[in-house]
Amino acid sequence: MRIQNYIAGEFTDPISAQWLDNYNPSEGVVYGQIPNSNQADVEAAYKAAERAFPGWSRSALEERSRILSEISRGIQERLDALATAEAKDNGKPLTLAKQIDIPRAAANFQFFANAATQFSSESHETVGRNAVNFTLRKPIGVVGCISPWNLPLYLFTWKIAPALAAGNCVVAKPSEVTPMTAYLLGEICNEAGLPKGVLNIVHGLGSTAGQAIISHPNIKAISFTGGTATGAHIARTAAPMFKKLSLELGGKNPNIIFADADYDKMLATTLRSSFANQGQICLCGSRIFVEASIYERFKTDFIAKVKELKVGDPFSDTSNLGALVSEEHRNKVLSYVALAGQESGMKLLTGGNKVVVKGKEGGYYMEPTVIEVTSNKCTLNQEEIFGPVVTLMPFTSEEEVLEMANDVPYGLSATLWTSNLSRTMRMSQYLQAGIIWVNTWLLRDLRTPFGGMKASGVGREGGLEALRFFTEPKNVCIQYDE
Ligand code: NAD
């Protein structure tokens, strides 16, 4: 099966007639081809967006909101088909795609359909100088949205929906590893009545199609989610062109467990925050720190639960973990596991092996893996692995765990388990993370600022932050006569 680019409301082949293979990671086979787009395709997408911009940016808010709601409805109506496509393309369990990925993609559009009509701007009265300032928030123009493979439609729409709600036109590129649901979105947008060219979806590699978007002189803002190294490259390319940048990058998140936490809730949630989506969520808590007094108990119970997790066919209801996204990625994850046998102070407690699933022998499966470490300075605690691998380590004091939690290049999220309110407040003040969950994980309210600090990125998505990012403030100062 061949998918196509979505440009000016039409489905088109890549201009170069070059194609890339698309793999089904749960079977390890090529099941389709995607456009290997280049600068010419991006230029065509840009031109379509530029033509659509005057009409879309001046459209009535109610009309914009109505169309975004229709897209949300179209996604909901195709829940089964989109979830199936996502599971096949990515290797994630179908149940996860049905419960999380696709509903969230619909929610993204509905949220920003509503937000478009609620967005307001500021006014400042300059008392004593007979002046009033009001701030206009204008759409930027044509913007670029680039997303990764781990939550394909979920993150793609998380960028596109606010960009459109704010009145911009978009050139978007999903990950070449998981392009399928982005392709299906084009059809949904047409059915919803999105004017031609308002959203354009170009498929292809980061180094060619992605590069053409970030270096395009007239694409004025880039919203990117992906790896930190790619983010740094985008910043180097786009910053001298004075593009607005939102960079949501990698993480190495601490999961800090105090002895006074609700033990059962903590244990069940920690299992999820470690291995949901095969550990391929930027928010997974991959460094687990446990207060020494409950360390042995936790270790025993956690490992018992991890061993019960079933790795298998994403389309089976009983699979807790599906396949990793690609062979290359599984090899990378396994290379980190191999360090446990090479570096001192590390002990493999469970997992660490490839899994062969009957009938899907070519798939990229691996066991959920837990490694005990003795220092937060070790490679496994410092580098993002982005797979089903967590480390365990005891701590004895709040100061000690805070120092270890912060001692990484990243600062995306942190999870804290405690029933002590003062400790919660103290830790929340000092943890270097953009998102802190206390006694829960991945509980999302789409109004809240989302993003990281340090090597986890710059800027915030979500709610009004996203609408502010996708608009250019313009202050008008009027002085009046007495
Ligand atoms: P990646 O950086 O390899 O790719 C992300 C996207 O960028 C893809 O669409 C890719 O084609 C594109 N790209 C690559 N090179 C480019 C270039 N030169 N110019 C423009 N675009 C380019 O990341 P990935 O492997 O797809 O995703 C995994 C990473 O994403 C992990 O590091 C993970 O932590 C991160 N992530 C972060 C968040 C967050 O919200 N902070 C969420 C999900 C994933």
Side-chain angles (χ1 to χ4, degrees):
M1 160 177 198
R2 276 189 169 172
I3 67 172
Q4 293 173 298
N5 289 330
Y6 173 69
I7 296 175
E10 309 287 336
F11 290 93
T12 55
D13 285 352
I15 292 167
S16 68
Q18 304 264 313
W19 302 84
L20 299 165
D21 287 339
N22 188 20
Y23 282 79
N24 169 346
S26 62
E27 297 182 353
V29 296
V30 173
Y31 81 105
Q33 291 191 311
I34 77 163
N36 185 3
S37 306
N38 60 26
Q39 202 179 356
D41 302 288
V42 169
E43 189 56 29
Y46 168 74
K47 288 268 184 251
E50 187 190 35
R51 282 194 301 276
F53 181 68
W56 183 248
S57 59
R58 288 177 211 152
S59 60
L61 287 179
E62 293 74 14
E63 176 64 0
R64 234 184 261 169
S65 173
R66 188 188 65 73
I67 293 173
L68 296 186
S69 290
E70 278 300 303
I71 299 174
S72 173
R73 205 161 63 85
I75 293 173
Q76 288 171 56
E77 279 172 8
R78 286 182 179 72
L79 172 71
D80 286 343
L82 288 166
T84 303
E86 204 75 294
K88 191 168 179 182
D89 219 18
N90 173 279
K92 67 177 67 208
L94 178 64
T95 48
L96 190 75
K98 264 192 189 166
Q99 285 162 16
I100 307 283
D101 291 76
I102 308 307
R104 174 58 193 277
N108 288 341
F109 272 104
Q110 191 54 58
F111 179 87
F112 284 105
N114 298 339
T117 64
Q118 304 299 316
F119 194 37
S120 59
S121 63
E122 313 83 51
S123 94
H124 302 85
E125 185 180 3
T126 311
V127 178
R129 305 284 301 274
N130 293 352
V132 175
N133 297 265
F134 65 91
T135 308
L136 293 171
R137 286 202 161 262
K138 307 301 288 178
I140 296 169
V142 179
V143 300
C145 297
I146 300 177
S147 58
W149 50 256
N150 64 323
L151 300 166
L153 192 63
Y154 174 134
L155 290 175
F156 195 58
T157 54
W158 181 232
K159 300 177 172 310
I160 290 169
L164 298 180
N168 300 284
C169 293
V170 175
V171 177
K173 192 191 89 61
S175 170
E176 61 274 28
V177 186
T178 53
M180 191 51 85
T181 47
Y183 166 66
L184 298 172
L185 181 66
E187 205 175 293
I188 293 171
C189 289
N190 281 352
E191 282 178 20
L194 188 72
K196 289 179 188 306
V198 170
L199 170 64
N200 305 277
I201 302 171
V202 180
H203 296 275
L205 299 172
S207 56
T208 49
Q211 184 68 26
I213 295 173
I214 62 166
S215 56
H216 195 289
N218 296 324
I219 295 181
K220 299 286 187 202
I222 303 290
S223 174
F224 168 80
T225 299
T228 292
T230 316
H233 170 78
I234 292 174
R236 277 193 299 274
T237 309
M241 302 169 81
F242 309 111
K243 291 181 198 285
K244 259 185 136 175
L245 283 179
S246 166
L247 302 174
E248 302 296 336
L249 312 176
K252 191 71 197 177
N253 312 309
N255 178 5
I256 303 166
I257 299 166
F258 283 92
D260 62 6
D262 174 339
Y263 189 82
D264 292 339
K265 183 180 178 198
M266 174 278 294
L267 189 63
T269 310
T270 294
L271 204 64
R272 234 167 30 86
S273 67
S274 302
F275 300 117
N277 205 36
Q278 299 72 245
Q280 302 167 139
I281 302 180
C282 53
L283 305 162
C284 279
S286 55
R287 293 182 294 147
I288 305 178
F289 298 108
V290 187
E291 194 164 9
S293 60
I294 59 162
Y295 184 74
E296 288 304 324
R297 178 185 173 202
F298 174 82
K299 186 164 117 180
T300 307
D301 293 347
F302 184 59
I303 288 170
K305 291 256 180 229
V306 174
K307 286 186 167 158
E308 283 170 16
L309 292 174
K310 185 164 175 272
V311 179
D313 181 357
F315 291 95
S316 158
D317 286 347
T318 60
S319 297
N320 302 108
L321 282 81
L324 272 65
V325 77
S326 68
E327 180 157 39
E328 185 192 359
H329 187 59
R330 184 175 65 170
N331 287 340
K332 179 186 145 193
V333 175
L334 287 169
S335 75
Y336 277 106
V337 176
L339 290 179
Q342 293 160 17
E343 287 187 14
S344 61
M346 295 183 199
K347 187 173 162 198
L348 182 65
L349 299 177
T350 184
N353 299 303
K354 291 180 182 176
V355 174
V356 178
V357 172
K358 203 160 173 278
K360 308 235 165 192
E361 285 78 7
Y364 315 128
Y365 302 91
M366 77 171 272
E367 294 170 336
T369 302
V370 184
I371 297 170
E372 188 170 48
V373 299
T374 50
S375 165
N376 183 57
K377 303 263 184 217
C378 67
T379 311
L380 291 188
N381 266 35
Q382 291 293 315
E383 294 185 13
E384 185 186 46
I385 301 173
F386 214 54
V389 180
V390 294
T391 64
L392 274 193
M393 194 178 158
F395 68 86
T396 49
S397 71
E398 206 175 295
E399 295 72 23
E400 181 196 12
V401 77
L402 189 60
E403 192 183 321
M404 291 194 292
N406 288 341
D407 186 17
V408 280
Y410 298 100
L412 186 55
S413 72
T415 306
L416 186 59
W417 291 96
T418 180
S419 56
N420 182 324
L421 179 61
S422 292
R423 173 187 286 146
T424 301
M425 296 306 293
R426 277 193 302 274
M427 298 279 292
S428 302
Q429 294 285 341
Y430 298 115
L431 276 168
Q432 294 169 0
I435 302 147
I436 298 171
W437 278 294
V438 182
N439 300 328
T440 184
W441 178 72
L442 208 58
L443 198 163
R444 294 281 291 118
D445 180 325
L446 301 188
R447 293 170 300 178
T448 59
F450 180 91
M453 49 179 77
K454 296 155 68 178
S456 292
V458 287
R460 293 292 181 271
E461 300 186 304
L464 300 181
E465 298 278 346
L467 293 179
R468 285 192 198 104
F469 173 75
F470 281 117
T471 50
E472 194 74 83
K474 188 191 284 184
N475 190 67
V476 181
C477 177
I478 303 173
Q479 192 170 46
Y480 53 92
D481 295 336
E482 253 326 319

